[in-house]
Amino acid sequence: MLYLSGMANHPKQNPADPVGIFLKLLVMLSLCTFLVYLLLSRCHSDPWSASHNSASQPLTLTKSGVSNGTASPVGVSGPRSAGESGWESEEPAKDWTAVRRLPQALIIGVKKGGTRALLEFLRLHPDIRALGSEPHFFDRHYARGLDWYRSMMPKALDGQIVMEKTPRYFVAAETPARIHAMSKEVKLIIVVRDPITRAISDYTQIISKAPDIPSFETLTFKNRTTGQVDALWSPLWIGLYAQHLEKWLSYFPLSQIHFVHGERLISDPAGELGKVQDFLGLQRIITDKHFYFNKTKGFPCLKKPEGSSKPHCLGKTKGRPHPSIDPQVIQQLKEFYHPHNLRFYHMAGQDFGWQ
């Protein structure tokens, strides 16, 4: 009874004490926060832990969009199938920005040999970027400097060959040294043609602009009675190929010079273009399928390209009919050029077959 009466005298404890519950919740929240912090810290300090699981790799930017790591990210090399375009490559990443560069190849001559035709044919190749006009930098505008010359060039991607053509380079005395100063490795292309036919073609162009000049026969000789040929008359002087080539060989090895056979450029353009592509280290993309022979002009033309309604032939100034020349004068010119041609064959390492 005493025991019961003592219990009755103490107040009854409340099991739902709000202060105690709050303290317990605070402790649990602190523990959870601490655990989350530890987990996050471990994830950031061990970036390789997810590299073995493709499903957990981080997202990266690729050319095609966002990837979970199964494709190569921008700037990272990775395999690709043959012919696939994109940034991924087994080779170091290339700069796909087109820039202006100094030319790696030059068509340096000869005038009226077929240089314009060659340039237009070569421009079909996707790895060639060629200037359409003749800049005449090394013979007329050298004082403007290489920066000006570079600014004239078309923009090109890495791996494309930049080139230009100025036929006067071949005969200008100062150009070999100047071109060598720009580049010792530049590749030189010379289109050569029977010097007599070339001279008549040159004269044909002259009289189209100045029809009142004397006849070809008159200008050919210093004295027609004695038969002394005027070797300093420009149309005849240009055809002294050996004399001009000698200057170039003092600066460049023959391996850096390629001769295009002017007559074969007309009769077999694909064959001559194939040799030029080989010389430039390019794949033979320009082939027979690109050409047809225009009987009216007596010259090959390019077949109709995609997206064009007409085939592409050279301008009206190409394939012009030549004036009739006295056969006796032709024979005298053959005798004049014969020793010069033989010397040129020996220097060039090939016989062009001019009689």
Side-chain angles (χ1 to χ4, degrees):
M1 294 293 295
L2 182 61
Y3 173 75
L4 292 174
S5 63
M7 290 184 64
N9 294 330
H10 286 78
K12 188 177 180 179
Q13 294 183 351
N14 185 4
D17 184 7
V19 176
I21 293 174
F22 176 81
L23 291 175
K24 289 179 182 180
L25 290 175
L26 184 61
V27 172
M28 292 176 64
L29 182 61
S30 299
L31 288 173
C32 290
T33 303
F34 182 72
L35 290 173
V36 170
Y37 174 81
L38 287 178
L39 289 173
L40 291 176
S41 298
R42 179 167 179 76
C43 289
H44 286 291
S45 64
D46 188 11
W48 302 103
S49 61
S51 64
H52 301 291
N53 183 357
S54 62
S56 61
Q57 289 197 12
L59 299 180
T60 53
L61 178 64
T62 67
K63 186 179 180 182
S64 59
V66 178
S67 167
N68 66 349
T70 57
S72 300
V74 174
V76 178
S77 298
R80 71 181 182 192
S81 59
E84 178 185 345
S85 62
W87 291 326
E88 300 83 2
S89 173
E90 293 178 352
E91 301 177 354
K94 291 183 178 180
D95 184 0
W96 294 105
T97 303
V99 297
R100 301 189 194 278
R101 297 195 305 268
L102 293 172
Q104 300 111 302
L106 296 170
I107 300 174
I108 60 174
V110 298
K111 181 184 179 185
K112 307 309 295 182
T115 58
R116 171 55 59 183
L118 178 63
L119 184 75
E120 292 300 317
F121 296 162
L122 284 174
R123 293 175 85 178
L124 288 174
H125 202 292
D127 290 331
I128 289 178
R129 298 285 290 133
L131 181 64
S133 59
E134 297 176 4
H136 283 278
F137 172 68
F138 294 103
D139 61 331
R140 296 177 183 171
H141 304 296
Y142 193 65
R144 295 179 179 231
L146 286 174
D147 287 340
W148 176 85
Y149 184 48
R150 184 187 293 107
S151 73
M152 299 288 289
M153 295 300 115
K155 290 184 177 181
L157 298 172
D158 187 22
Q160 290 182 315
I161 293 177
V162 177
M163 66 189 310
E164 62 110 330
K165 76 106 176 172
T166 303
R168 193 173 180 274
Y169 290 165
F170 183 61
V171 300
E174 66 277 9
T175 53
R178 291 174 174 179
I179 291 174
H180 186 266
M182 176 194 73
S183 171
K184 297 177 178 62
E185 290 78 33
V186 67
K187 294 187 175 184
L188 306 171
I189 301 173
I190 307 171
V191 190
V192 287
R193 183 183 183 187
D194 184 324
I196 300 175
T197 310
R198 196 222 67 81
I200 297 172
S201 180
D202 200 346
Y203 175 77
T204 302
Q205 184 179 52
I206 293 172
I207 61 174
S208 69
K209 300 175 182 178
D212 296 331
I213 67 170
S215 67
F216 181 87
E217 291 87 346
T218 301
L219 295 171
T220 293
F221 301 99
K222 288 184 177 179
N223 186 324
R224 190 168 184 182
T225 303
T226 62
Q228 183 182 6
V229 173
D230 186 0
L232 294 181
W233 182 40
S234 178
L236 300 182
W237 174 73
I238 291 174
L240 300 174
Y241 300 146
Q243 176 180 318
H244 306 305
L245 180 60
E246 189 173 26
K247 298 191 296 289
W248 291 91
L249 290 178
S250 63
Y251 287 93
F252 297 97
L254 193 61
S255 60
Q256 282 178 234
I257 302 175
H258 180 76
F259 300 96
V260 175
H261 197 302
E263 286 78 15
R264 291 180 189 161
L265 184 62
I266 296 174
S267 63
D268 181 22
E272 286 302 300
L273 266 292
K275 296 174 186 176
V276 175
Q277 291 170 92
D278 293 344
F279 173 67
L280 295 175
L282 299 174
Q283 181 182 352
R284 285 197 177 197
I285 291 178
I286 307 169
T287 62
D288 286 332
K289 67 181 181 180
H290 292 98
F291 301 98
Y292 81 95
F293 192 80
N294 186 313
K295 294 181 179 180
T296 302
K297 295 181 72 69
F299 209 85
C301 296
L302 298 174
K303 290 183 180 178
K304 182 177 66 174
E306 291 185 19
S308 174
S309 59
K310 295 182 179 179
H312 175 60
C313 289
L314 298 177
K316 294 180 180 179
T317 61
K318 308 301 178 183
R320 280 181 298 210
H322 292 174
S324 178
I325 307 299
D326 185 340
Q328 184 180 354
V329 173
I330 297 295
Q331 183 58 40
Q332 289 174 289
L333 286 175
K334 286 182 178 180
E335 295 171 2
F336 167 75
Y337 275 119
H338 182 68
H340 297 284
N341 289 343
L342 291 181
R343 182 169 174 244
F344 176 64
Y345 297 166
H346 177 72
M347 295 172 67
Q350 55 186 297
D351 187 340
F352 291 89
W354 304 318
Q355 300 300 320

